[in-house]
Amino acid sequence: MSNDVYILDAVRTPIGRYGGGLAGVRPDDLAAHVVSEVVRRSPGLDPARIDDVLLGNANGAGEDNRDVARMAVLLAGLPPSVPGATVNRLCGSGLEAVIGASRAIALGDASICVAGGVESMSRAPWVLPKPEQGYPRGHETLHSTTLGWRMVNPRMPQEWTVALGEGAEILADRYKISREEQDRFAYRSHELAARAWTEGAYADEVSPVPGTNVERDESIRPDTTLGALAGLKPAFRADGTVTAGNSSPLNDGASALLLADRAGADAIGRAPLARIVSRAVTAIEPHLFGIGPVAAAEEALRRAGIGWADLDVIELNEAFAAQSLACLAEWPDLDPEIVNPQGGAIALGHPLGSSGSRILGSLAWQLQRRGGGRGLAAICIGVGQGLAVVLEA
């Protein structure tokens, strides 16, 4: 018999634009901020009682090297006795970290954990592979680690290693999703995100990073219009439909959740925001990564013993409008109006390692403000995977 696992708190940084207001902050410092903040916000928590800190990170090639979770523990001023581990499931890394921590608590291996994720795409370095022999005579190539495939194994089928945006184009073709539908979806994301900030919906979960001037998510464009979106050129195919406007941007940010079993929650003195009901991970062909959440969400619902009609809120990470709309096409019984009611990653941003924990934390806060209910968080993952978690409050 497993223990119930509760989300007691969730906090994140504002999400910075690529080269924007958080570009000057190291990723380990972004991570340390949310870890220290989620601890500070629970005065009844003795930091020495934290059994583990798990953080997701999709890069790990720069200042986020050497186990950024452990670096965050030390930089946050937690006792050195608190462990930390970094996990990588690309875009789903933050959600994977929460899933891993929740499993440890469910099995009784831990009582209190902090889990989340971090990414600074602005500060992702270029990397230079070591030559196969010393003193090469030819030119060497620097590879950007910001996003996507690099140093691809030649044994990998080419159809699997297309650019992420080309994967979105493939789904737009397969599901007959028009440019107009994608732009309307993107416009809705910006409109809802701007409204949520105006109404104070993000006040409980966002904590600005000291030393920066970023108070809100920087990528939101409250003044965008369907006409402006329609005027953008395709980004991946000359005759394509996927643009910078209906895709998520490159971003910087971090997020953290405080998880506990019932004994841990009682010791901390916090009423839970929500309970983790079920989790699921699935996989699909790499170039179809965008519909990775489809099977994961369906499996998580099955394990929870509920259906689409039982959900009140869904947080679906918006890597691309085409990708999100393809998922919705596979879920005909789902009311699309309950999906991302506070905007999604197209507007808010997609700092890879943090996005999964960001959507789960936001979902928990939304359920708490509603006075209860059920919700699902799902995310697509590059190279063809999907993750989903069901919450109940």
Side-chain angles (χ1 to χ4, degrees), residues 106-324:
L107 290 172
D109 290 340
S111 177
I112 301 170
C113 289
V114 172
V118 62
E119 205 75 48
S120 176
M121 301 178 80
S122 294
R123 299 176 74 88
W126 291 275
V127 296
L128 179 66
K130 283 186 176 179
E132 294 185 6
Q133 60 184 14
Y135 306 106
R137 297 179 64 182
H139 298 293
E140 296 297 316
T141 301
L142 284 170
H143 297 261
S144 171
T145 65
T146 302
L147 178 70
W149 293 89
R150 59 258 188 186
M151 294 176 281
V152 179
N153 191 316
R155 295 176 54 234
M156 195 73 71
Q158 288 186 353
E159 68 187 59
W160 285 357
T161 62
V162 298
L164 296 171
E166 174 60 20
E169 291 280 13
I170 290 170
L171 292 181
D173 288 345
R174 175 174 290 203
Y175 288 88
K176 296 179 171 57
I177 301 168
S178 70
R179 167 70 181 270
E180 291 73 23
E181 289 177 282
Q182 295 175 55
D183 287 346
R184 284 198 301 270
F185 187 89
Y187 177 77
R188 174 185 183 268
S189 186
H190 285 282
E191 183 180 42
L192 293 179
R195 182 187 306 167
W197 270 105
T198 298
E199 295 176 351
Y202 284 117
D204 291 323
E205 65 186 85
V206 174
S207 173
V209 180
T212 71
N213 295 319
V214 183
E215 300 290 329
R216 293 188 173 194
D217 303 311
E218 285 190 308
S219 294
I220 302 172
R221 297 184 180 276
D223 56 348
T224 194
T225 64
L226 287 171
L229 291 169
L232 297 174
K233 294 181 179 180
F236 301 95
R237 292 182 187 174
D239 60 346
T241 60
V242 179
T243 72
N246 57 41
S247 307
S248 62
L250 306 178
N251 297 98
D252 311 325
S255 50
L257 287 74
L258 179 61
L259 308 177
D261 58 12
R262 174 51 65 184
D266 290 344
I268 296 170
R270 289 290 300 264
L273 297 177
R275 178 175 67 91
I276 295 178
V277 178
S278 66
R279 324 152 187 83
V281 58
T282 57
I284 196 168
E285 288 184 277
H287 60 295
L288 302 178
F289 72 93
I291 53 173
V294 172
E298 292 169 352
E299 179 61 18
L301 290 175
R302 187 192 68 78
R303 292 176 182 177
I306 61 175
W308 293 111
D310 299 305
L311 296 174
D312 299 288
V313 184
I314 292 175
E315 280 289 320
L316 174 65
N317 195 61
E318 300 169 355
F320 299 89
Q323 163 267 318
S324 300

Side-chain angles (χ1 to χ4, degrees), residues 323-339:
Q323 163 267 318
S324 300
L325 289 166
C327 290
L328 296 180
E330 291 283 354
W331 298 327
D333 297 329
L334 168 64
D335 177 6
E337 290 303 311
I338 71 170
V339 178

